[in-house]
Amino acid sequence: MKKASLTLDPAFRIGAVDPRVRGSFVEHLGRCVYGGIYEPDHPGADEDGFRTDVLDLTRELGVTTVRYPGGNFVSGYQWEDAIGPRAERPRRLDLAWKTLETNEVGVDEFAAWCRKAGVEPMMAVNLGTRGVQEAAALVEYCNHPAGTYWSDLRVKYGAKDPHDIKIWCLGNEMDGPWQIAHKTARDYGILANQTAKAMRLVDPGLELVACGSSSRRMPTFGSWEAEVLEHTYDVVDYVSLHSYYRPNNGDFASFLASGVDMDAMIESVIATCDYVKAKTRSKKSINLSYDEWNVWYHVPGDEREWVTGPALFEDQYSLADAVVVGSLLNSLLRRADRVTMACFAQLVNVIAPMTTVPGGPAYRQSTFHPMRLAFQYGTGSTLRVEPTGPLVDTPDFGPVAQLDCTATLDEENGAAAVFAVNRSLTEPLLVEVDVRALRGARAVEHVALSGEDRDAANTAEQPDRVAPKVQDAPVVEDGTLRFELAPMSYNVVRLATAR
């Protein structure tokens, strides 16, 4: 059996893992809102129409932040339509997804859902068809205590206390020609700068995210970030990144190495941010908000137009998809020093880790499991592990490491975790970890997502076909932790350490 090795040493820390990397995304798209988080006729719905099974799964998953309401949807959204008595809210054509928006769920309902789920809201403003005034008014509505037009309207509609939303996205994917009223980097940068200043006049405590490129494959990638940040560097805190992956033409070798592309995008955007920092002689650093990422097969689904909540992009995720999601989680953890927010897209039904049956149950997709494991055990600080070992050949990326690995150390709780992906489709791998620098290290558990059928998936009838399984207990001997990885597998090995 081939072997890979790495070292865990508290002296080599990359950065503290920000809880906000455990974020998700709820967009008015398909059945994410209507039929996902909100289904008032469901037998398990609460008094506000929210599905309690989706709330339970959200809490189980460990999500900390949720981005809303888009996505492409936000670039044509009029937030004022979705406040006040539901019977008086207008129905609008959503041009982004060619659906009918009833506006039954708006910012007040979303804020209420966040409180129930125990998550922090992350709000996006429309910088496609709208701009400075509308964004500042939304901040006033959400965050100002009372005594003004918009804040008093919020109180009138039942929300006496401010929603106190602190994270705001300045538009969405404004580089994309598919975006309603998309813009050049210059035009967007000027508008984002002006909008950010106005929003902060209403609430100086906001954290703002500028739109980065919607993909590393965009022809303007790099130059877009550089020009946008030259206009906005002093008024924003983050720049966004978006990436989606799928196997092309049956190339699963490259698909399993998708994290290589995510790593490259992260490093490129960090370099661009730091270039603008040097050019503008700024003293602050811009961090990264990877606020859309996932596996996405672009399955269209229900292609009817101008209906509410059609079944769009409801991918059924396989074991292979779950392993890739685990590898992407490794990439996010690996740069914990700069990737301080992230949102997998989306939370429910639409390219999501959980799926609901109308009027029926909700179940975990295969991708739910690596997220839950990484969110639960990827705490504390990320360690630099520098693994060595065999390579596997891929058509898209050339030779890549068979072992994709990162590790975290949570000294406060006396815990460490190794997150390991075997990228080989056929070859197992022995991993040896030098843990001599971890005082009192002992192995606790090894759980893995693996199997012989890479296409295995969960369904409402078989909701646990793909699920993590406890492996043979690893042992620490003479300061070395040893464990085996099955081919095409995602693994979490947990250790206890002296506090």
Side-chain angles (χ1 to χ4, degrees):
M1 185 184 299
K2 294 179 180 178
K3 183 176 73 173
S5 61
L6 59 130
T7 299
L8 301 187
D9 191 325
F12 297 99
R13 300 171 194 251
I14 295 173
V17 179
D18 194 309
R20 286 174 170 174
V21 299
R22 303 192 282 273
S24 186
F25 178 29
V26 166
E27 180 174 6
H28 286 251
L29 163 59
R31 294 195 311 122
C32 188
V33 174
Y34 304 117
I37 67 170
Y38 179 77
E39 189 178 340
D41 295 331
H42 190 275
D46 66 12
E47 68 280 2
D48 294 318
F50 298 126
R51 287 187 60 140
T52 54
D53 52 359
V54 172
L55 282 166
D56 289 342
L57 286 174
T58 301
R59 288 187 285 261
E60 178 188 335
L61 188 56
V63 171
T64 56
T65 58
V66 175
R67 181 170 169 247
Y68 175 87
N72 294 350
F73 172 81
V74 79
S75 291
Y77 184 48
Q78 300 180 66
W79 66 266
E80 306 94 324
D81 289 344
I83 60 175
R86 281 200 174 103
E88 299 176 10
R89 298 181 186 181
R91 297 158 71 88
R92 300 282 191 189
L93 298 181
D94 166 28
L95 303 182
W97 303 112
K98 292 189 176 181
T99 56
L100 181 64
E101 175 55 51
T102 66
N103 287 304
E104 292 175 76
V105 173
V107 63
D108 292 321
E109 289 80 17
F110 175 67
W113 182 88
C114 287
R115 288 191 291 272
K116 294 183 180 192
V119 302
E120 181 181 13
M122 179 181 185
M123 197 76 184
V125 298
N126 177 357
L127 292 190
T129 59
R130 310 189 86 186
V132 178
Q133 184 173 351
E134 295 86 356
L138 179 55
V139 176
E140 179 185 328
Y141 182 89
C142 291
N143 290 4
H144 197 71
T148 66
Y149 176 81
W150 290 113
S151 60
D152 285 347
L153 206 56
R154 183 198 69 243
V155 173
K156 175 183 175 181
Y157 292 152
K160 179 181 178 181
D161 296 324
H163 298 317
D164 198 29
I165 299 173
K166 293 303 181 186
I167 315 170
W168 295 77
C169 301
L170 299 170
N172 173 75
E173 293 185 354
M174 298 309 299
D175 64 323
W178 57 86
Q179 202 69 214
I180 300 171
H182 91 99
K183 294 171 172 56
T184 64
R186 179 183 180 275
D187 289 346
Y188 168 72
I190 292 171
L191 177 59
N193 175 284
Q194 294 168 342
T195 305
K197 289 177 179 177
M199 292 169 71
R200 281 222 172 96
L201 288 173
V202 179
D203 185 346
L206 301 184
E207 298 176 57
L208 302 179
V209 185
C211 283
S213 295
S214 51
S215 166
R216 185 168 171 253
R217 294 180 292 276
M218 293 296 290
T220 55
F221 174 65
S223 63
W224 171 275
E225 283 81 359
E227 186 162 2
V228 166
L229 286 174
E230 286 189 23
H231 291 288
T232 63
Y233 199 93
D234 289 336
V235 296
V236 301
D237 306 284
Y238 306 87
V239 64
S240 70
L241 299 82
H242 293 179
S243 294
Y244 294 100
Y245 300 97
R246 61 178 173 176
N248 294 312
N249 302 316
D251 179 8
F252 276 85
S254 297
F255 182 49
L256 287 175
S258 295
V260 173
D261 181 83
M262 181 179 267
D263 291 338
M265 187 169 192
I266 290 171
E267 295 303 325
S268 297
V269 175
I270 290 173
T272 306
C273 291
D274 292 347
Y275 157 75
V276 179
K277 176 182 180 178
K279 185 176 181 180
T280 60
R281 294 170 173 80
S282 177
K283 294 182 179 180
K284 76 171 187 179
S285 294
I286 296 288
N287 285 327
L288 277 54
S289 175
Y290 222 124
D291 47 41
E292 285 189 36
W293 68 270
N294 205 344
V295 172
W296 188 359
Y297 286 86
H298 298 277
V299 178
D302 187 342
E303 295 183 342
R304 292 177 298 160
E305 295 183 358
W306 314 128
V307 297
T308 300
L312 295 174
F313 309 122
E314 297 197 8
D315 289 352
Q316 185 180 68
Y317 287 119
S318 67
L319 171 62
D321 299 327
V323 173
V324 170
V325 164
S327 182
L328 299 177
L329 288 160
N330 283 352
S331 294
L332 297 174
L333 286 172
R334 198 157 25 237
R335 285 311 306 258
D337 57 329
R338 298 297 291 273
V339 181
T340 54
M341 290 200 299
C343 303
F344 66 84
Q346 294 188 12
L347 180 66
V348 57
N349 290 330
V350 179
I351 55 170
M354 62 182 85
T355 298
T356 67
V357 176
Y363 63 91
R364 304 165 189 82
Q365 289 237 35
S366 65
T367 54
F368 183 99
H369 299 295
M371 293 179 189
R372 183 189 66 79
L373 291 167
F375 290 175
Q376 182 174 356
Y377 299 119
T379 59
S381 297
T382 300
L383 301 180
R384 190 178 304 280
V385 295
E386 301 297 338
T388 60
L391 305 177
V392 292
D393 290 322
T394 68
D396 286 352
F397 307 111
V400 302
Q402 182 177 345
L403 173 65
D404 174 44
C405 185
T406 191
T408 56
L409 174 63
D410 188 340
E411 289 182 312
E412 182 177 345
N413 294 305
V418 178
F419 303 91
V421 170
N422 185 350
R423 287 172 168 156
S424 173
L425 290 161
T426 57
E427 297 292 328
L429 187 66
L430 173 65
V431 180
E432 294 186 346
V433 184
D434 185 337
V435 295
R436 288 175 295 175
L438 298 181
R439 291 191 305 113
R442 60 179 178 84
V444 174
E445 185 181 54
H446 175 192
V447 296
L449 274 169
S450 62
E452 296 182 358
D453 183 1
R454 71 186 181 197
D455 296 320
N458 294 340
T459 62
E461 295 73 30
Q462 291 183 292
D464 299 313
R465 186 181 179 192
V466 180
K469 295 179 175 60
V470 177
Q471 308 298 296
D472 292 338
V475 178
V476 176
E477 293 181 339
D478 299 324
T480 300
L481 168 70
R482 294 180 177 85
F483 53 92
E484 295 182 10
L485 307 182
M488 198 192 69
S489 62
Y490 175 74
N491 304 260
V492 180
V493 178
R494 297 193 295 122
L495 299 98
T497 64
R499 298 193 186 191

